[in-house]
Coordinates of all heavy atoms in Angstrom, one line a residue:
H1 N 35.3 -74.5 65.4 CA 36.1 -75.4 66.2 C 37.5 -75.0 66.2 O 38.3 -75.2 65.3 CB 36.0 -76.9 65.8 CG 34.6 -77.3 65.7 ND1 33.8 -77.3 64.6 CD2 33.7 -77.8 66.7 CE1 32.6 -77.8 64.8 NE2 32.5 -78.1 66.1
A2 N 38.0 -74.3 67.3 CA 39.3 -73.8 67.4 C 40.3 -74.9 67.6 O 40.1 -75.8 68.4 CB 39.4 -72.8 68.5
L3 N 41.5 -74.8 66.9 CA 42.6 -75.7 67.2 C 43.2 -75.5 68.6 O 43.7 -76.4 69.2 CB 43.7 -75.5 66.1 CG 43.4 -75.9 64.7 CD1 44.5 -75.6 63.8 CD2 43.0 -77.4 64.6
G4 N 43.1 -74.3 69.0 CA 43.7 -73.9 70.3 C 43.2 -72.5 70.7 O 43.0 -71.6 69.8
S5 N 43.1 -72.2 71.9 CA 42.8 -70.9 72.4 C 43.3 -70.6 73.8 O 43.5 -71.6 74.6 CB 41.2 -70.7 72.4 OG 40.6 -71.6 73.4
V6 N 43.5 -69.4 74.1 CA 43.9 -69.0 75.5 C 43.2 -67.7 75.8 O 42.7 -66.9 74.9 CB 45.4 -68.7 75.6 CG1 46.2 -70.0 75.4 CG2 45.9 -67.6 74.5
V7 N 43.0 -67.4 77.1 CA 42.4 -66.2 77.6 C 43.5 -65.4 78.4 O 44.1 -66.0 79.3 CB 41.2 -66.5 78.5 CG1 40.7 -65.2 79.1 CG2 40.0 -67.1 77.6
A8 N 43.7 -64.2 77.9 CA 44.7 -63.3 78.7 C 43.9 -62.4 79.5 O 43.2 -61.5 79.1 CB 45.5 -62.5 77.6
N9 N 43.9 -62.6 80.8 CA 43.3 -61.8 81.8 C 44.1 -60.5 82.0 O 45.2 -60.3 81.5 CB 43.2 -62.5 83.2 CG 42.3 -63.7 83.1 OD1 41.1 -63.6 82.6 ND2 42.7 -64.8 83.6
P10 N 43.5 -59.5 82.7 CA 44.2 -58.2 82.8 C 45.6 -58.4 83.4 O 45.8 -59.0 84.4 CB 43.3 -57.5 83.9 CG 41.9 -58.0 83.5 CD 42.1 -59.4 83.2
G11 N 46.6 -57.8 82.6 CA 48.0 -57.8 83.1 C 48.7 -59.1 82.7 O 49.9 -59.2 82.9
Q12 N 48.0 -60.1 82.1 CA 48.7 -61.3 81.7 C 49.3 -61.3 80.3 O 48.8 -60.7 79.4 CB 47.6 -62.5 81.8 CG 47.4 -63.1 83.2 CD 46.6 -64.3 83.1 OE1 45.7 -64.5 82.3 NE2 47.0 -65.3 84.0
T13 N 50.3 -62.2 80.2 CA 50.9 -62.5 78.9 C 50.9 -64.0 78.8 O 51.5 -64.7 79.7 CB 52.3 -62.0 78.7 OG1 52.3 -60.6 78.8 CG2 52.9 -62.4 77.4
V14 N 50.2 -64.6 77.8 CA 50.0 -66.0 77.8 C 50.6 -66.6 76.5 O 50.2 -66.1 75.4 CB 48.5 -66.4 77.9 CG1 48.3 -67.9 78.0 CG2 47.8 -65.7 79.0
P15 N 51.4 -67.6 76.5 CA 51.9 -68.3 75.3 C 50.9 -69.2 74.7 O 49.9 -69.6 75.4 CB 53.1 -69.0 75.8 CG 52.8 -69.4 77.2 CD 52.1 -68.2 77.7
L16 N 51.0 -69.6 73.4 CA 50.1 -70.4 72.8 C 50.8 -71.3 71.8 O 51.6 -70.8 70.9 CB 48.9 -69.7 72.1 CG 47.9 -70.4 71.3 CD1 47.1 -71.4 72.1 CD2 47.0 -69.5 70.6
E17 N 50.6 -72.6 71.7 CA 51.1 -73.5 70.7 C 50.0 -74.4 70.3 O 49.3 -75.0 71.1 CB 52.3 -74.3 71.3 CG 53.5 -73.5 71.7 CD 54.6 -74.3 72.2 OE1 54.6 -75.6 71.9 OE2 55.6 -73.8 72.8
V18 N 49.9 -74.6 68.9 CA 48.9 -75.5 68.4 C 49.5 -76.3 67.3 O 50.4 -75.8 66.5 CB 47.7 -74.8 67.8 CG1 46.9 -74.0 68.9 CG2 48.0 -73.8 66.7
N19 N 49.2 -77.6 67.2 CA 49.6 -78.5 66.0 C 48.7 -78.3 64.9 O 47.4 -78.3 65.0 CB 49.6 -79.9 66.5 CG 50.7 -80.2 67.6 OD1 51.8 -79.6 67.5 ND2 50.4 -81.0 68.5
L20 N 49.2 -78.1 63.7 CA 48.4 -77.9 62.5 C 48.1 -79.2 61.9 O 49.0 -80.1 61.8 CB 49.1 -77.0 61.5 CG 49.4 -75.6 62.0 CD1 50.2 -74.8 61.0 CD2 48.2 -74.9 62.5
P21 N 46.8 -79.5 61.4 CA 46.4 -80.8 60.9 C 47.1 -81.0 59.5 O 47.5 -80.0 58.8 CB 44.9 -80.6 60.7 CG 44.7 -79.2 60.6 CD 45.7 -78.6 61.5
A22 N 47.2 -82.2 59.0 CA 47.7 -82.5 57.7 C 46.7 -81.9 56.7 O 45.5 -81.9 56.8 CB 47.8 -84.0 57.5
G23 N 47.2 -81.3 55.6 CA 46.4 -80.7 54.6 C 45.9 -79.4 54.9 O 45.0 -78.8 54.2
V24 N 46.5 -78.7 55.9 CA 46.1 -77.3 56.2 C 46.5 -76.4 55.1 O 47.5 -76.5 54.5 CB 46.7 -76.9 57.5 CG1 48.2 -76.9 57.4 CG2 46.2 -75.5 58.0
F25 N 45.5 -75.5 54.7 CA 45.8 -74.6 53.6 C 45.6 -73.1 54.1 O 45.9 -72.2 53.4 CB 44.9 -74.8 52.4 CG 43.5 -74.9 52.7 CD1 42.7 -73.7 52.8 CD2 42.8 -76.1 52.9 CE1 41.4 -73.7 53.0 CE2 41.4 -76.1 53.1 CZ 40.7 -75.0 53.2
A26 N 45.1 -73.0 55.3 CA 45.0 -71.6 55.9 C 44.8 -71.7 57.4 O 44.3 -72.7 57.9 CB 43.7 -70.9 55.2
V27 N 45.3 -70.6 58.1 CA 44.9 -70.5 59.5 C 44.3 -69.1 59.7 O 44.7 -68.2 59.0 CB 46.2 -70.6 60.4 CG1 46.8 -72.1 60.3 CG2 47.3 -69.7 60.0
T28 N 43.5 -69.0 60.7 CA 42.8 -67.8 61.0 C 43.0 -67.5 62.5 O 42.8 -68.4 63.3 CB 41.3 -67.8 60.7 OG1 41.1 -68.0 59.3 CG2 40.6 -66.5 61.1
L29 N 43.5 -66.3 62.8 CA 43.6 -65.9 64.1 C 42.5 -65.0 64.5 O 42.1 -64.1 63.7 CB 44.9 -65.0 64.3 CG 46.3 -65.7 63.9 CD1 47.4 -64.8 64.3 CD2 46.4 -67.1 64.5
R30 N 41.9 -65.2 65.6 CA 40.8 -64.4 66.1 C 41.0 -63.9 67.5 O 41.5 -64.6 68.3 CB 39.4 -65.2 66.1 CG 38.2 -64.4 66.5 CD 37.0 -65.3 66.6 NE 36.6 -65.9 65.3 CZ 35.7 -66.9 65.2 NH1 35.2 -67.5 66.3 NH2 35.5 -67.4 64.0
V31 N 40.7 -62.6 67.7 CA 40.7 -62.0 69.1 C 39.3 -61.4 69.4 O 38.6 -61.0 68.5 CB 41.8 -60.8 69.2 CG1 43.1 -61.4 69.0 CG2 41.5 -59.8 68.1
S32 N 38.9 -61.6 70.7 CA 37.6 -61.1 71.0 C 37.6 -60.7 72.5 O 38.3 -61.3 73.3 CB 36.5 -62.1 70.8 OG 36.8 -63.4 71.3
L33 N 36.8 -59.7 72.8 CA 36.7 -59.3 74.3 C 35.8 -60.4 75.0 O 34.7 -60.8 74.5 CB 36.0 -57.9 74.3 CG 36.9 -56.8 73.9 CD1 36.0 -55.5 73.9 CD2 38.1 -56.6 74.7
V34 N 36.2 -60.7 76.2 CA 35.5 -61.7 77.0 C 34.3 -61.1 77.6 O 33.2 -61.7 77.7 CB 36.4 -62.4 78.0 CG1 35.6 -63.4 78.9 CG2 37.6 -63.1 77.3
T35 N 34.4 -59.9 78.2 CA 33.3 -59.2 78.7 C 33.2 -57.9 78.1 O 34.2 -57.2 77.7 CB 33.5 -59.1 80.3 OG1 34.7 -58.4 80.5 CG2 33.5 -60.4 81.0

């Protein structure tokens, strides 16, 4: 369950902001090809 996500289409630059839950001890960033 991602806290937040965005999809960057060809040629796009997309900002991203997420609020972190109380008690957070780690964050993981993941990138993946859509197609």
Side-chain angles (χ1 to χ4, degrees):
H1 305 95
L3 294 178
S5 66
V6 293
V7 173
N9 292 310
Q12 276 191 324
T13 300
V14 187
L16 174 63
E17 296 183 15
V18 297
N19 294 322
L20 301 178
V24 63
F25 56 82
V27 294
T28 297
L29 305 187
R30 180 187 296 168
V31 293
S32 55
L33 291 174
V34 175
T35 57

